[in-house]
Amino acid sequence: MARLSKNHYVNNKKFLETLIAYKELVAKHKAEDKQKPQIPNYVGECLILIANRLASKPNFSGYSFKDEMVSDGIEDCIKYLDNFDPLKGTNPFAYFTQFIWNAFIRRIQKEKKQLYIKMKNLEHSYSQEDIENISRDKARPKMTENYNDYITQWEMNKAKK
């Protein structure tokens, strides 16, 4: 796929035209009682480009689970591809970017919840004696402090909701 410029890496006009042609093909196949056609390669390439570029933005770039975020975003776009209505909006780039953004946020929330669960389990797995020994160790107090801070912050945010 030929890239445009650094700022315009997806040709929105071609993306829209490809989606319109695909929607027409889907409608034709449905009318003829045929199997749904494959999503055009250009649409898939655009979704991958959008997801990867969004994942490289500063608000998402530092996460270790970036691949999962990208996968979730692409999966959501494919799942709801048929919901795009060119009569309501002519900017598929913005439409699918929002889907990917929301998928990223959901993945971050899931991962933070899993981290909380891991930390809470770790906290319960130690006896009071273990905690005191860890606290006396010069290298460990900062780690236990970070765990406690994370757990406290998570529980405060949960209580607010």
Side-chain angles (χ1 to χ4, degrees):
M1 180 170 90
R3 292 202 178 167
L4 301 172
S5 70
K6 186 176 182 178
N7 294 330
H8 301 283
Y9 52 94
V10 172
N11 184 335
N12 208 24
K13 185 177 178 184
K14 184 177 177 185
F15 192 21
L16 178 63
E17 291 168 358
T18 307
L19 282 170
I20 291 170
Y22 173 70
K23 287 188 77 68
E24 290 170 357
L25 188 61
V26 168
K28 181 182 173 188
H29 278 232
K30 192 173 184 179
E32 296 173 357
D33 228 11
K34 290 183 179 178
Q35 186 178 356
K36 189 175 175 179
Q38 181 179 337
I39 296 170
N41 285 340
Y42 185 74
V43 171
E45 290 171 357
C46 288
L47 296 176
I48 290 169
L49 282 173
I50 294 168
N52 284 323
R53 182 63 74 97
L54 189 59
S56 69
K57 297 290 180 192
N59 26 348
F60 299 121
S61 66
Y63 293 103
S64 61
F65 45 86
K66 198 170 11 174
D67 291 339
E68 288 86 351
M69 290 170 30
V70 169
S71 297
D72 290 348
I74 294 169
E75 180 183 358
D76 281 359
C77 289
I78 291 171
K79 191 184 304 181
Y80 300 108
L81 187 69
D82 294 337
N83 291 354
F84 178 74
D85 187 358
L87 300 175
K88 291 183 181 177
T90 59
N91 190 348
F93 176 83
Y95 181 82
F96 291 110
T97 299
Q98 191 62 53
F99 266 101
I100 294 168
W101 180 280
N102 292 337
F104 284 11
I105 299 299
R106 277 192 307 277
R107 171 55 68 177
I108 291 168
Q109 290 169 344
K110 283 180 191 175
E111 294 291 337
K112 283 184 176 182
K113 183 177 181 179
Q114 288 300 314
L115 182 59
Y116 166 75
I117 291 168
K118 288 176 188 175
M119 288 183 174
K120 201 68 174 169
N121 283 335
L122 184 64
E123 179 183 69
H124 290 298
S125 69
Y126 285 123
S127 68
Q128 188 61 36
E129 186 181 326
D130 291 335
I131 293 171
E132 289 171 7
N133 288 338
I134 290 172
S135 297
R136 277 188 231 116
D137 185 358
K138 300 257 188 254
R140 302 279 174 121
K142 189 70 176 167
M143 182 182 81
T144 55
E145 189 178 304
N146 289 342
Y147 279 7
N148 292 335
D149 289 347
Y150 188 85
I151 291 170
T152 304
Q153 187 66 38
W154 176 270
E155 291 172 349
M156 284 174 40
N157 288 341
K158 196 72 170 172
K160 285 180 186 177
K161 291 181 182 177

